[in-house]
C-alpha cells in the first residue's frame, strides 16, 4: 500500500479469536442493538447493504430475490371498513 506522499505503508493484519468475536458481538448486542429484536436477528453491515436493491416499479429485492409484503386487515378493521362503506352508500341515496 502506498500513501499519498509516496511512502510505503505497512498493512497490519490482526488475528482475532472466536472468543473475541463472540465477546464483541455480545457487547454490540447488549449496548447498541434494539432490545426488542429477537436474538437471531442482526443488523446489516455496510457490505450487506449492497445486497438490497429496487426496481423501476419500487419493488424491493434482497440478493436478487423479490421481497413480498402482505397487507392484511384485522377483523375489527374489516368490520369498520364495511360499516363505512355501507354508510357511504346509504348516505349517497
Amino acid at each position: 500500500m502506498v500513501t499519498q506522499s509516496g511512502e510505503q505503508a505497512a498493512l497490519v493484519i490482526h488475528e482475532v479469536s472466536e472468543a473475541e468475536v463472540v465477546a464483541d458481538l455480545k457487547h454490540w448486542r447488549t449496548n447498541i442493538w434494539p432490545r426488542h429484536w429477537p436474538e437471531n436477528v442482526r443488523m446489516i453491515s455496510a457490505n450487506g447493504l449492497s445486497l438490497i436493491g429496487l426496481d423501476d416499479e419500487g419493488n424491493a429485492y434482497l440478493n436478487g430475490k423479490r421481497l413480498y409484503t402482505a397487507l392484511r386487515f384485522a377483523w375489527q378493521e374489516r368490520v369498520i371498513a364495511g360499516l363505512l362503506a355501507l354508510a357511504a352508500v346509504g348516505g349517497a341515496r
Side-chain angles (χ1 to χ4, degrees):
M1 180 186 319
V2 179
T3 62
Q4 287 182 346
S5 63
E7 299 172 355
Q8 290 283 338
L11 178 62
V12 178
I13 298 175
H14 174 70
E15 291 188 26
V16 180
S17 69
E18 185 176 342
E20 288 176 303
V21 171
V22 169
D24 192 41
L25 285 174
K26 285 182 181 177
H27 166 77
W28 281 93
R29 180 74 184 148
T30 56
N31 294 311
I32 296 174
W33 292 16
R35 298 194 189 292
H36 63 277
W37 283 17
E39 286 292 322
N40 62 339
V41 175
R42 30 186 195 99
M43 291 182 180
I44 297 176
S45 67
N47 291 338
L49 289 176
S50 66
L51 298 175
I52 299 173
L54 298 173
D55 65 11
D56 293 337
E57 297 174 5
N59 298 314
Y61 291 82
L62 178 63
N63 200 18
K65 296 178 184 173
R66 185 167 177 204
L67 298 176
Y68 293 94
T69 57
L71 298 176
R72 297 190 178 136
F73 294 110
W75 69 269
Q76 299 95 333
E77 295 167 324
R78 291 180 193 165
V79 169
I80 292 170
L83 292 173
L84 288 174
L86 287 173
V89 169
R93 292 184 180 210

